[in-house]
Amino acid sequence: MSLDSQLSTLEAATGPFEVVWNPEATGGGQLSVRANGRVLWDSVPGEAFLAAAQGAPDVTESRGFFTIRDDRTTFTTSQTLDAIDLNDTSVVLSGWLDGSMRVAWRMTMQAMDGQQLQMHITVGSEVGEHPRLRLRYACLADERFFGFGEQFTHLDLKGRQLDILSQEPGIGRGVQPLTWVMNTFFGAGGDDTRSNAPVPHYVTSHCRSLCLENHALSRFDLRAAEQVNVEVWSDSVCARIFNGETPAALVEAYTKLSGTMAPLPTWMHQGAIIGMQGGTDKVRQMVEKLSAADAPIAALWLQDWVGARKTSVGSQLWWNWELDPIRYPGWDELRDELATDGVRLMSYVNPFLVDVSEREQGCQRNLFAEAQEKGYLVCHADGTPYLVQNTSFSAAMVDLTHPEGRAWLKDVLREQVLGVGVSGWMADFGEALPFDARLHDGSDAANYHNEYPEAWAQLNREVIAEAGMEGEVAFFARSGFTRSPGQCTLFWLGDQLTSWRAEDGIRSAVTGLLSSGFSGFSQNHSDIGGYTTTAIPGFPLKIPFMDHRRSRELLWRWIELNAFTAVFRTHEGNQPGRNYQIDGDAETLAHFARFARVFAALGGLRERLGQEAAEQGLPVVRHPWMVFPEDPNTVSLAWQFTLGDALMVAPVLDPGADRVTMYLPAGQWCHLWSDAEIDASAGGWYEVEAPLGTPAVFFRKGNADGEALVAALDAKQDRATVSTKPMIRAANSPR
């Protein structure tokens, strides 16, 4: 992959950025982008930084999972840089790509502002159908790569290859033999880099950052020690290079592109959001239990408000988006009764529709039939509705490129969701648009696939805005892409396994929070206790190594974890009867109520962090490196986080553990649950006793938020859980 040029040394400016061509770099000619004396991007000396090929794609969809094959031609093997032209605002480079074809290329670099430089690359039509472009550039051997949207298994993606395609992440994602079984028989096991909400964006440990603006499928190959290869399924690449000397500055720069997230409604900070099902009577019974336990409740999230159906995986919902009056009789009275105590109702929707003509209970409207008649559904090439298999039923997606169809779906949400008086909902799915679908506006479904989650979020946001309820009503989404932060009110991390595993479990929730924070997902959270239970419905015996169910201990530790995140929301899971629940026994209910009070006591801090998210794009839950960038040890941390800049949290993530090893940067640190203090004058590792009910949480001495939390917990007698100070001692790094 050679790079040839007869051009002499050149330095050209666009805004505060310098584009530098150095023909005498060691190893050969090198192109660089610099700012403030720092190299933000540079090509591999002597090697082509651009190549082209023609693809032959074979992409299949199954239940929202995608199998990607591409028998492409060989990439071009050489590149010439023939001209660098300057004008008032941009630098334009051009030349040829040679090898299996000869293709002209053109690159325009232009400063968007002081923090963003846009790199726009196009090639000639000679590349043919299904074009592929590959961008190759340098990195350092010790450079770590963070971000890429929500990543669940690996925080540092260096050494890996990942496809940036919104899809189901998988059940197991490497937990064996579960993943093998799910992949072999159902195509649903996934792998360690799949995500509902991936983003072609990263921040590196050397404070370099890049994002693609393309929606087309891209593949980031980070396996080489000193180079990055990015393949894009397009005949053009539009990228932004960001300028910032700290990770927080780079996140702020990136969110100028992605958009920032608005503060959450105040009521969401006032207590727990209880996810439950079963009808009006069960709701009242749960509220009575929680009230007796002095658990602050912000809302009841009733995903089965539309009614439930039996399927091969247990109980699922009727996707018809109207209230089931038989399951929830007296809905209006229930809503008004709860409102007197400051408790809201929330519901559930997604962009799929099912034909309810087969439902025994009659419905006022058959939304599937309406949309089909009007031509509002995603179709096959022959015009028939494209039915996507879910479990034992299929459903059709609303075509969001259809202006009338989009307006129709907004009317449904406004009239039948907001219209029943809910204060928010889960806006589920959005990842399953097949590559071979036909769309109303003629868009290529392969290119629109990653745009669909953004359009789905934007539709929900418009429903709220047009009703004049921004700041009062919120929805939470799991699918996303680059511009989703500017369109969503809240994210959640999708469906974790009810397990302790790093691949897919409580640890993956921590990784998801930290990784997504680098890509602008400022307001994010997970299901308390996880969602996916893999017990076989109707089968009474447990299958060793295959059967994952939520244990009491796992639930307790997940409760402790989520009390220090953006939202404190429970989920019964896909098989509620096989999972331990928050009212499983009196002690568990008391534990849940106590941490709901901890969460509520942090409401003022989270509201302030919500303003920072809106103004600067900073996440509520932060990787410690964002807060302590000057400490060289924080960049390598993986299993602890900060709540804003106030609290350092190291949740217990292993079964049977009663202590954690965590890192504290230099300073005086106070233990939240006792009067113990640590003088970490130079920063260091500490082993902290953390029995159930006392996760390792510290704040810096004199921090107003930490001291306010202590006062609030003392007022409720929620702080002292042990009769003596916990054991805290210096330790070695766990690695």
Side-chain angles (χ1 to χ4, degrees), residues 127-461:
V127 72
E129 191 177 11
H130 304 302
R132 307 287 183 258
L133 295 185
R134 185 176 67 198
L135 192 62
R136 173 174 292 174
Y137 51 96
C139 66
L140 299 174
D142 66 345
E143 198 161 7
R144 302 167 184 260
F145 284 73
F146 307 112
F148 294 104
E150 289 180 354
Q151 292 295 321
F152 302 109
T153 304
H154 310 289
L155 188 57
D156 174 13
L157 277 298
K158 183 67 173 288
R160 304 186 185 280
Q161 177 176 278
L162 61 160
D163 291 333
I164 307 300
L165 183 74
S166 177
Q167 61 179 312
E168 291 276 5
I171 299 173
R173 297 170 44 84
V175 177
Q176 300 297 357
L178 175 64
T179 302
W180 179 86
V181 171
M182 296 304 297
N183 275 332
T184 301
F185 297 102
F186 306 102
D191 59 42
D192 61 349
T193 59
R194 296 189 188 214
S195 173
N196 308 104
V199 177
H201 163 256
Y202 61 76
V203 173
T204 81
S205 56
H206 287 262
C207 283
R208 300 200 280 192
S209 181
L210 177 144
C211 178
L212 300 182
E213 296 184 55
N214 299 66
H215 283 96
L217 172 67
S218 59
R219 175 171 293 165
F220 281 73
D221 188 346
L222 308 174
R223 292 175 295 180
E226 297 184 336
Q227 64 178 232
V228 176
N229 288 282
V230 183
E231 179 181 333
V232 185
W233 286 25
S234 176
D235 60 359
S236 66
V237 174
C238 196
R240 294 206 190 184
I241 297 169
F242 301 103
N243 178 26
E245 296 189 358
T246 66
L250 289 171
V251 170
E252 182 177 3
Y254 164 72
T255 52
K256 290 182 178 182
L257 168 66
S258 70
T260 61
M261 301 188 68
L264 293 175
T266 298
W267 61 264
M268 298 188 82
H269 297 297
Q270 295 172 351
I273 297 175
I274 307 299
M276 63 169 299
Q277 305 180 71
T280 302
D281 290 342
K282 286 191 175 182
V283 168
R284 287 196 170 101
Q285 292 166 14
M286 177 60 80
V287 170
E288 185 177 350
K289 285 183 183 180
L290 291 166
S291 297
D294 192 24
I297 310 171
L300 276 298
W301 170 53
L302 310 176
Q303 67 174 39
D304 67 337
W305 73 290
V306 293
R309 65 194 299 184
K310 294 294 183 183
T311 69
S312 60
V313 299
S315 178
Q316 290 181 271
L317 309 178
W318 283 103
W319 295 349
N320 193 53
W321 320 136
E322 70 176 35
L323 177 67
D324 182 343
I326 296 177
R327 197 171 187 86
Y328 284 97
W331 174 274
D332 291 346
E333 292 80 3
L334 174 66
R335 183 196 62 226
D336 295 344
E337 173 188 320
L338 293 171
T340 61
D341 294 323
V343 179
R344 312 287 184 116
L345 287 179
M346 301 182 76
S347 62
Y348 171 98
V349 298
N350 68 50
F352 285 104
L353 299 172
V354 297
D355 187 351
V356 292
S357 61
E358 63 190 60
R359 186 177 181 180
E360 292 182 7
Q361 174 189 328
C363 297
Q364 294 183 18
R365 299 173 67 180
N366 185 334
L367 298 177
F368 173 91
E370 288 183 30
Q372 182 179 20
E373 180 182 358
K374 296 176 183 292
Y376 295 162
L377 299 176
V378 171
C379 293
H380 287 285
D382 63 4
T384 58
Y386 205 127
L387 297 179
V388 175
Q389 185 75 24
N390 185 263
T391 54
S392 51
F393 68 92
S394 297
M397 301 177 74
V398 177
D399 185 345
L400 299 185
T401 74
H402 196 308
E404 289 81 12
R406 194 175 183 278
W408 173 84
L409 183 56
K410 286 170 62 176
D411 287 342
V412 169
L413 298 188
R414 183 177 62 253
E415 296 167 6
Q416 300 194 175
V417 182
L418 268 180
V420 298
V422 299
S423 295
W425 54 85
M426 174 186 281
D428 204 0
F429 291 104
E431 311 94 334
L433 181 67
F435 275 39
D436 60 345
R438 192 187 79 182
L439 298 175
H440 172 78
D441 73 348
S443 296
D444 180 357
N447 286 328
Y448 192 73
H449 174 92
N450 282 329
E451 192 171 351
Y452 194 100
E454 297 176 341
W456 169 230
Q458 184 63 30
L459 184 148
N460 283 269
R461 186 71 174 267

Side-chain angles (χ1 to χ4, degrees), residues 11-24:
E11 296 183 8
T14 170
F17 299 91
E18 289 183 317
V19 178
V20 179
W21 167 248
N22 179 11
E24 298 179 358

